[in-house]
Amino acid sequence: MSSIGSGEYTFFNAMVMDSTPFGIEIGGNESTATEIHANIRSTLTEHEPTDPEADGGTTNRRSRVTKRKREEYEAEEPSTAKKAILDAGYTFKNDDFEPGFPLSDPFHEARAPDDSRVMVKCVRRGSNETQILKYLKECGGPAHHIIELLDVIPFEGSQLIVLHDLVSLTGLHIRMSLNSSIVSSLQTQFLEGVEYLHEHGVAHMSLNPVDVVLDLKKQKNPPILFITNFDSAVRVKSVDTMCKGSRWVGEWWIAPEVSNEHEYSTILADRWSCGRTFEFFRTHMVVPPLNEELSEEISRKLMDVNPTLRPVLRDCVTLSRRIELGQVW
């Protein structure tokens, strides 16, 4: 059995086996992002503590954060945003324009001039999301599981960004239609995406299953995974870049060392959230990944209570890829 250590792997009794082909098509109807986000809150409730007494009041704190951010967005005039979007050549499926609030980010589904379906999102004041997405696109991020920035629409001193309208991993029909091989592939793709961010000096700062989307339009098997929602992301110089305070919305996904009182490493905290999200693939799909034991070990190591013991993601990608290909047991 293979094993993961702090920063490196030692493979014991590794056996090279025939890789397992992906056996099924992705089933179910393709939900739009609007439909998916309508159910995001109830989906995350499955994974987050809801008793304020049980979680030390994190639920109430989370609600206050969401309410505060929502108020920041509501200061913008929807009609002004709609005019800016229409002037940029985009159209809507219907005549109504009501910015929605999945967690804290207003969005709306629209059609691009080529009639492709896109997501228009209002960037929060003070967020570096637009600049970070531009930087990642210039670095080739879309080829490494990072959502592609398609367009930027300025309005009212703020910005609207245009992204591909993809399908959320949290959609129930998606989770029900994946076999073990595909689940393992998605785990690897997710780790590769986070590794790419860290190698290019970006800490996502809010990793959770809502920020994982799948492209089902190209009929690839397995589907291509992308990491999205860089509302809280920051540029960092190294793993030693420190931060104070929480930028996350869902505290169930926050590393234990994250605090308003003490500094912590943004990259190491990101690794913990990566581990929690990686665990979601194992615990909330209808079928588990190919090697559930090793998958659990990866998430457990990434979520080590001691930040310095969390392994580098390159090693996690290596082991996850070997699991996906059936090369370890």
Side-chain angles (χ1 to χ4, degrees), residues 31-229:
S31 299
T32 66
T34 304
E35 294 166 343
I36 290 294
H37 279 295
N39 297 316
I40 282 177
R41 289 186 183 279
S42 59
T43 303
L44 283 183
T45 301
E46 301 174 17
H47 322 305
E48 298 187 359
T50 55
D51 180 0
E53 295 299 322
D55 68 0
T58 56
T59 302
N60 289 337
R61 289 200 302 273
R62 182 169 57 252
S63 298
R64 289 197 296 271
V65 170
T66 302
K67 179 180 179 181
R68 184 172 64 252
K69 288 190 175 182
R70 183 176 297 181
E71 289 171 350
E72 291 180 18
Y73 286 111
E74 288 175 339
E76 305 291 354
E77 283 292 333
S79 59
T80 305
K82 178 179 180 180
K83 183 177 185 303
I85 295 170
L86 292 173
D87 288 347
Y90 296 89
T91 57
F92 300 103
K93 292 180 64 176
N94 52 58
D95 293 333
D96 297 327
F97 180 78
E98 294 293 338
F101 297 95
L103 297 185
S104 62
D105 304 319
F107 72 98
H108 199 80
E109 182 180 303
R111 296 280 179 176
D114 63 0
D115 203 39
S116 62
R117 198 164 63 197
V118 295
M119 175 69 70
V120 181
K121 174 184 175 182
C122 180
V123 177
R124 177 178 58 85
R125 297 191 196 100
S127 170
N128 296 319
E129 183 165 20
T130 304
Q131 291 74 17
I132 287 177
L133 284 173
K134 284 182 178 179
Y135 162 70
L136 290 171
K137 183 175 182 177
E138 291 172 357
C139 295
H144 299 274
H145 308 293
I146 309 302
I147 194 75
E148 180 180 6
L149 177 66
L150 300 176
D151 197 3
V152 179
I153 305 172
F155 91 106
E156 294 290 313
S158 184
Q159 290 177 325
L160 297 163
I161 58 175
V162 182
L163 311 168
H164 289 292
D165 187 11
L166 304 180
V167 180
S168 173
L169 177 69
T170 59
L172 181 60
H173 79 275
I174 294 298
R175 289 185 282 152
M176 292 181 64
S177 63
L178 306 178
N179 64 25
S180 293
S181 296
I182 294 178
V183 173
S184 291
S185 173
L186 295 179
Q187 284 186 311
T188 302
Q189 292 183 56
F190 173 68
L191 290 176
E192 289 173 339
V194 182
E195 178 197 14
Y196 183 85
L197 291 179
H198 293 180
E199 285 186 343
H200 287 78
V202 174
H204 188 279
M205 303 290 281
S206 63
L207 288 168
N208 67 77
V210 174
D211 298 336
V212 178
V213 293
L214 307 178
D215 185 354
L216 305 184
K217 300 171 185 174
K218 296 180 180 179
Q219 300 298 313
K220 290 187 178 294
N221 200 5
I224 306 301
L225 175 148
F226 294 93
I227 297 171
T228 188
N229 188 20

Side-chain angles (χ1 to χ4, degrees), residues 264-284:
Y264 58 90
S265 164
T266 54
I267 292 295
L268 295 182
D270 238 20
R271 289 182 192 174
W272 192 97
S273 300
C274 175
R276 175 73 89 184
T277 306
F278 187 86
E279 183 181 50
F280 177 90
F281 288 92
R282 181 178 60 84
T283 59
H284 288 84

